[in-house]
Amino acid sequence: MAKGGRYLKKTKKRGWKIALGILLVFILLIGGAAFAGMRYYQSMLDKIPRAEIIEQSVSFEDIQAILDYNPDKPTDEDALTEQAQMETDGTASEESAPAETQTGTEAGG
């Protein structure tokens, strides 16, 4: 038939519609994957136990005593033990001193 006739197939430009459809499918796939990923991430975060505030019943005096603790400083118990040890050492040396003098006089005389 004639050029540009009624039965001539005309080319239709519909490539942009196909590209737009493919783009929308990709956006839906990426959005669905992101949604599923965020749900999974939130479920993992919900499994982590939260820190709880626990009220401490330690008095200020106890805290101050802990802060002022010095292991090198002698305590009252240490002073009593030292004093008792010095007393026992003093009586032991007094008892041994006369015995030495007696042996010294016997050996000399």
Side-chain angles (χ1 to χ4, degrees), residues 92-106:
S93 62
E94 290 173 3
E95 291 174 1
S96 63
E100 290 174 3
T101 13
Q102 288 175 356
T103 52
T105 48
E106 289 175 8

Side-chain angles (χ1 to χ4, degrees), residues 4-49:
R6 182 174 170 183
Y7 298 106
L8 183 65
K9 290 186 179 181
K10 298 181 182 177
T11 58
K12 296 182 180 180
K13 297 181 182 178
R14 57 181 196 161
W16 65 274
K17 289 181 182 179
I18 294 172
L20 183 64
I22 292 172
L23 183 66
L24 288 175
V25 168
F26 279 134
I27 289 173
L28 286 174
L29 287 174
I30 292 171
F35 178 74
M38 289 303 294
R39 295 277 299 210
Y40 177 74
Y41 181 70
Q42 279 297 78
S43 70
M44 287 295 125
L45 286 179
D46 289 340
K47 290 182 180 180
I48 298 173

Side-chain angles (χ1 to χ4, degrees), residues 18-85:
I18 294 172
L20 183 64
I22 292 172
L23 183 66
L24 288 175
V25 168
F26 279 134
I27 289 173
L28 286 174
L29 287 174
I30 292 171
F35 178 74
M38 289 303 294
R39 295 277 299 210
Y40 177 74
Y41 181 70
Q42 279 297 78
S43 70
M44 287 295 125
L45 286 179
D46 289 340
K47 290 182 180 180
I48 298 173
R50 302 283 194 260
E52 297 177 9
I53 297 174
I54 300 173
E55 295 293 329
Q56 297 293 330
S57 61
V58 179
S59 67
F60 179 74
E61 290 80 18
D62 291 340
I63 294 172
Q64 195 63 37
I66 292 169
L67 292 175
D68 291 340
Y69 175 70
N70 183 1
D72 298 332
K73 181 180 176 184
T75 60
D76 294 335
E77 293 176 8
D78 294 339
L80 292 174
T81 307
E82 241 178 70
Q83 185 179 7
Q85 186 179 12

